Amino acid sequence: MTMKMRVSGGMRVMACAVAAAMAWGSTAQACTGITLTAADGSVVRARTMEFNVNLESSVILVPRGFARTGSTPDGSPGLTWKTKYANVGTNPMGLPLIIDGLNEKGLSVGLFYFDQSAGYQPYTADDAAKTMAPWELGSYMLDSFATVSEVKDALPDVLVAPVVFKQFNLVLPVHYVVTDASGASIVVEYVGGKLNIHDDGIGIITNNPPFDWHMTNLQNYVNLGLENVPPQKLGDVTITGLGQGTGLLGMPGDFTSPSRFVRAAIFAHGVDPTTTSKHGIFQAFHILNNFDIPKGVAREDEKDKEGNIVSDYTQWTSANDLANKRFYFRTYENSDIRVVDLTKQNLDAKDIQTWSMDGFEVAHELGAPDAPK
């Protein structure tokens, strides 16, 4: 991860952030995002959230008129704004910020880990009034804009600086997917101190390397197909495939970001077409089942201070219905799908509303006297 910070005190902060990133970064990069467009034109953007410590996420609703101030590397007040459009989604570590969600206009934003590639814009004290931290940019976009086009026009005027996220003691390396109700989608990345905006016509995002690298990498898999391969003859011997799926022999199956990008692209564009957003929501959850990471199978060599294995796992999976303004989610402990309908909430409330994501799944016993009919 490339980071540039102010010289005054910055080298000490950078050294601390880099050391923390070495401990956190190599496993915390397994999120997968997809986009589906139904036959009726409705759009669903969905993703998994993997991390190697509990993000303590809740679902929050940010009302209109909520005041915010951006963070800066030197602690000065940054960009100030108020929420124009109410929005709903998941937050990290109890903060009043959204890392995946949508607003009342159907604009949706997701933050994805971007270790080894993220390099934010250089900052000076004169830039404070237009500056914010990487983890604040997602909420800024949801609070302020209705379409991808508006986001594209506004981002060059904002400075996203290498601010240390105190909860993790590092500069969070992230990039962003932004999708609106029309289906327009972009990936926003800061690399080498510069803003890069990529049109995401394929609707897929994972993690490092940058988005354009992933698109080039897809060319390595042009041999893959959804149809089974016909039998082949080797001399007088006919070789037939072993069961279904021979067209996808060679598809990468590991949890690395490049492999997940390829699988997500194939699955999202290979499933039966969705008819409505409701159909698309549940189709998205089925696709993302393939990217669930159980605790312990994607791990580091070291253990944490309590002696536990450090490993990524799928903490929650979410899906945004951009047509109907509904935010769906399930968690590692509870695979029941829950939903918040933004159109049924008080969008002018005085403060943020919070819903817990905690709780364990309940198995319903069939045949018991109190079992559901």
Side-chain angles (χ1 to χ4, degrees):
M1 178 171 61
T2 301
M3 291 178 282
K4 297 181 180 179
M5 301 187 70
R6 298 186 68 201
V7 174
S8 177
M11 294 309 296
R12 292 189 298 275
V13 175
M14 182 185 293
C16 185
V18 170
M22 290 174 65
W24 285 72
S26 54
T27 59
Q29 47 182 311
C31 304
T32 302
I34 62 174
T35 305
L36 302 177
T37 301
D40 65 2
S42 56
V43 178
V44 169
R45 187 189 63 77
R47 59 92 55 82
T48 65
M49 168 56 82
E50 282 76 18
F51 216 70
N52 55 14
V53 296
N54 187 353
L55 287 172
E56 302 176 16
S57 295
S58 300
V59 174
I60 63 171
L61 188 154
V62 182
R64 300 167 184 147
F66 187 79
R68 299 192 190 271
T69 301
S71 303
T72 64
D74 60 10
S76 301
L79 179 71
T80 60
W81 73 94
K82 288 187 177 182
T83 300
K84 181 178 181 181
Y85 303 118
N87 47 87
V88 63
T90 48
N91 71 344
M93 313 303 291
L95 295 174
L97 297 160
I98 285 178
I99 52 177
D100 198 90
L102 75 161
N103 69 18
E104 61 182 283
K105 294 297 184 179
L107 185 78
S108 178
V109 175
L111 279 65
F112 288 72
Y113 216 69
F114 196 41
D115 188 35
Q116 302 176 39
S117 292
Y120 299 108
Q121 295 166 306
Y123 168 83
T124 67
D126 293 338
D127 297 320
K130 64 177 182 179
T131 298
M132 67 181 65
W135 63 89
E136 296 166 339
L137 181 60
S139 280
Y140 173 71
M141 292 186 282
L142 289 174
D143 292 346
S144 308
F145 307 115
T147 66
V148 162
S149 178
E150 291 178 6
V151 171
K152 282 184 172 181
D153 289 342
L155 285 186
D157 296 326
V158 176
L159 191 146
V160 177
V163 186
V164 172
F165 187 65
K166 295 179 181 179
Q167 288 82 347
F168 298 160
N169 200 29
L170 58 82
V171 177
L172 279 181
V174 293
H175 59 171
Y176 316 80
V177 62
V178 186
T179 307
D180 66 26
S182 76
S185 186
I186 57 175
V187 171
V188 178
E189 297 178 337
Y190 293 86
V191 178
K194 296 181 180 179
L195 165 66
N196 297 315
I197 299 176
H198 303 281
D199 290 322
D200 186 7
I202 200 168
I204 305 298
I205 185 172
T206 54
N207 313 100
N208 187 63
F211 179 78
D212 54 351
W213 184 98
H214 285 289
M215 293 301 295
T216 300
N217 185 51
L218 283 179
Q219 294 176 281
N220 289 317
Y221 299 93
V222 293
N223 60 300
L224 300 181
L226 301 174
E227 291 78 24
N228 287 332
V229 175
Q232 303 292 319
K233 293 207 68 172
L234 297 176
D236 294 332
V237 178
T238 298
I239 308 297
T240 59
L242 295 173
Q244 294 290 330
T246 56
L248 293 177
L249 279 171
M251 180 174 67
D254 58 79
F255 289 130
T256 63
S257 176
S259 295
R260 286 183 288 104
F261 192 100
V262 172
R263 288 205 310 282
I266 292 171
F267 292 161
H269 292 274
V271 294
D272 288 343
T274 58
T275 55
T276 64
S277 60
K278 182 177 181 180
H279 182 204
I281 287 290
F282 293 101
Q283 186 78 288
F285 277 109
H286 280 298
I287 292 170
L288 292 176
N289 284 339
N290 295 275
F291 300 90
D292 276 354
I293 301 180
K295 288 182 180 180
V297 302
R299 65 173 70 179
E300 289 289 352
D301 292 333
E302 76 273 4
K303 296 182 180 180
D304 64 19
K305 60 184 179 180
E306 282 82 29
N308 300 311
I309 293 171
V310 178
S311 64
D312 261 22
Y313 68 100
T314 304
Q315 299 194 14
W316 44 262
T317 301
S318 62
N320 298 264
D321 179 346
L322 307 190
N324 297 301
K325 321 304 187 295
R326 292 163 68 90
F327 181 79
Y328 295 77
F329 70 95
R330 68 183 183 209
T331 68
Y332 191 87
E333 290 83 12
N334 188 350
S335 59
D336 283 349
I337 297 173
R338 288 166 277 175
V339 60
V340 175
D341 188 331
L342 189 57
T343 67
K344 296 179 180 179
Q345 311 305 318
N346 179 7
L347 305 188
D348 294 302
K350 293 183 178 180
D351 206 349
I352 288 176
Q353 185 172 353
T354 302
W355 292 272
S356 173
M357 299 174 76
D358 294 341
F360 289 87
E361 188 167 356
V362 176
H364 299 284
E365 182 181 356
L366 300 181
D370 59 347
K373 302 297 184 183

